[in-house]
Amino acid sequence: MEHEIADPVGTGRDRILITGAGGQLGRALQEEFAADGALALTRADWDVTLPPPDVQPELVLHAAAWTDVDGAEEDPQGAAAVNVGGTRHAAELGAPLVYYSTDYVFDGAKREPYVESDPPSPLSAYGRTKLHGEGAAGESAWIVRTSGLFGEHGGNFVKTMLRLAKERDEVSVVDDQRTSPTYVRHLAAATRELLDRPHGVWHLAAAGDCTWADFAEAIFEEAGVGVRVRRVSSTELGRPAARPAYSVLRSEKHAPELPHWRDGLRACLDRLR
Ligand SMILES: NC(=O)c1ccc[n+]([C@@H]2O[C@H](COP(=O)([O-])OP(=O)(O)OC[C@H]3O[C@@H](n4cnc5c(N)ncnc54)[C@H](OP(=O)(O)O)[C@@H]3O)[C@@H](O)[C@H]2O)c1
């Protein structure tokens, strides 16, 4: 596991460890920090529910997580083992940590952008484990709340819509959940900028906001496929976990700014082509 890193992010730190390196954000972080020689650990390299490996990184980018929102309702303890216990283990490495949290720590009742000082009130087991994970990240951590991640790798909404477009003329998508779909490469770049800011909670999400139905229409439009979007309610879809009706994140403390979600979508589709 020993890994020499000559000159990392230009901040004088010389070792970066990325957890969850096989996930969509983990892959983007690997690309963003490739020139810094980051040590990228997939689940096979380190299952974060187990104690940490014997390495002394100077920065941990903790992207490993249980992200199955509906599955967490059935197995909240399994989700907590990863999202809380795994984060505690990542903090035990003793290095400053970037912990990725979620808009699902909010209940969506506010109906205007959530800022860092708004009180969390998660609706789902997943949201609760991610909120407890924020506490487990410790004092020397940047807590990055983000939303609706998508990218070229792994499973996500964009790739699901493109797959469905090959199979159907119409897809049903919820139109009563408003958020800011965020491109993982934009989040990875913003993470680098954040390292110059103080520890604490930061909201880092794409500019702009939309419902998932709006996002689906934009995906089909940008991809040039003629699929209709049937706008449905969350009740109609009937998924196990409750999700906030409104979870747009903005910063009240000058967080690094991300491009608009539609720019992220175009960049992602360009790379998928
Ligand atoms: N996806 C979103 O829309 C979204 C929104 C807001 C916040 N976030 C947060 O952003 C972060 C990154 O999410 P993502 O979208 O990149 O998720 P992802 O694609 O599901 O990646 C998560 C990675 O964590 C790994 N993992 C799961 N359990 C693990 C364990 N016990 N030990 C080590 N690795 C484990 C997964 O491995 P396997 O593939 O082998 O399971 C996967 O590679 C997470 O903290 C998530 O909560 C995500």
Side-chain angles (χ1 to χ4, degrees):
M1 295 276 191
E2 283 296 304
H3 196 93
E4 288 301 323
I5 300 172
D7 180 22
V9 287
T11 60
R13 300 185 181 98
D14 59 11
R15 285 162 197 256
I16 302 171
L17 187 150
I18 300 172
T19 70
Q24 52 173 348
L25 177 60
R27 296 280 292 260
L29 289 170
Q30 277 183 73
E31 277 190 43
E32 175 66 34
F33 290 89
D36 309 303
L39 175 59
L41 302 182
T42 65
R43 184 187 195 138
D45 300 319
W46 177 29
D47 179 334
V48 298
T49 62
L50 302 173
D54 185 19
V55 289
Q56 284 86 43
E58 296 208 349
L59 173 68
V60 177
L61 304 177
H62 180 43
W66 175 304
T67 55
D68 178 358
V69 176
D70 290 322
E73 295 297 312
E74 277 210 5
D75 185 6
Q77 288 178 336
V82 183
N83 292 348
V84 188
T87 303
R88 198 169 293 123
H89 285 147
E92 280 170 13
L93 284 161
L97 177 83
V98 179
Y99 169 75
Y100 294 92
S101 189
T102 172
D103 52 332
Y104 286 6
V105 300
F106 295 114
D107 61 17
K110 191 179 172 196
R111 302 302 168 119
E112 61 184 72
Y114 282 95
V115 293
E116 288 89 348
S117 61
D118 282 322
S121 169
L123 299 173
S124 63
Y126 167 76
R128 284 188 288 278
T129 63
K130 292 298 295 183
L131 182 59
H132 290 141
E134 292 185 2
E139 293 298 309
S140 305
W142 295 269
I143 309 289
V144 174
R145 295 198 189 122
T146 188
S147 59
L149 295 185
F150 63 93
E152 298 83 55
H153 304 291
N156 59 61
F157 186 82
V158 172
K159 290 177 72 184
T160 302
M161 289 301 121
L162 293 175
R163 178 173 50 76
L164 291 177
K166 291 188 182 139
E167 302 163 3
R168 305 180 191 179
D169 297 330
E170 183 179 270
V171 294
S172 299
V173 186
V174 289
D175 195 32
D176 56 4
Q177 292 170 30
R178 181 166 286 275
T179 187
S180 302
T182 299
Y183 182 38
V184 284
R185 296 183 82 229
H186 289 162
L187 179 59
T191 296
R192 179 187 285 279
E193 274 187 69
L194 187 67
L195 299 177
D196 291 331
R197 311 282 214 280
H199 294 143
V201 176
W202 293 89
H203 286 186
L204 296 188
D209 56 79
C210 60
T211 68
W212 290 106
D214 297 334
F215 191 41
E217 279 186 350
I219 293 165
F220 297 142
E221 197 180 299
E222 296 289 345
V225 291
V227 178
R228 287 186 308 279
V229 174
R230 193 169 80 87
R231 293 172 180 262
V232 298
S233 68
S234 305
T235 314
E236 198 175 336
L237 211 64
R239 292 171 77 176
R243 290 156 167 83
Y246 184 96
S247 61
V248 178
L249 302 174
R250 291 292 168 253
S251 181
E252 62 191 347
K253 44 197 262 195
H254 307 294
E257 286 184 13
L258 278 74
H260 195 275
W261 61 263
R262 199 177 258 271
D263 295 328
L265 173 60
R266 288 194 192 107
C268 179
L269 291 175
D270 278 349
R271 280 171 59 103
L272 280 171
R273 279 185 193 112

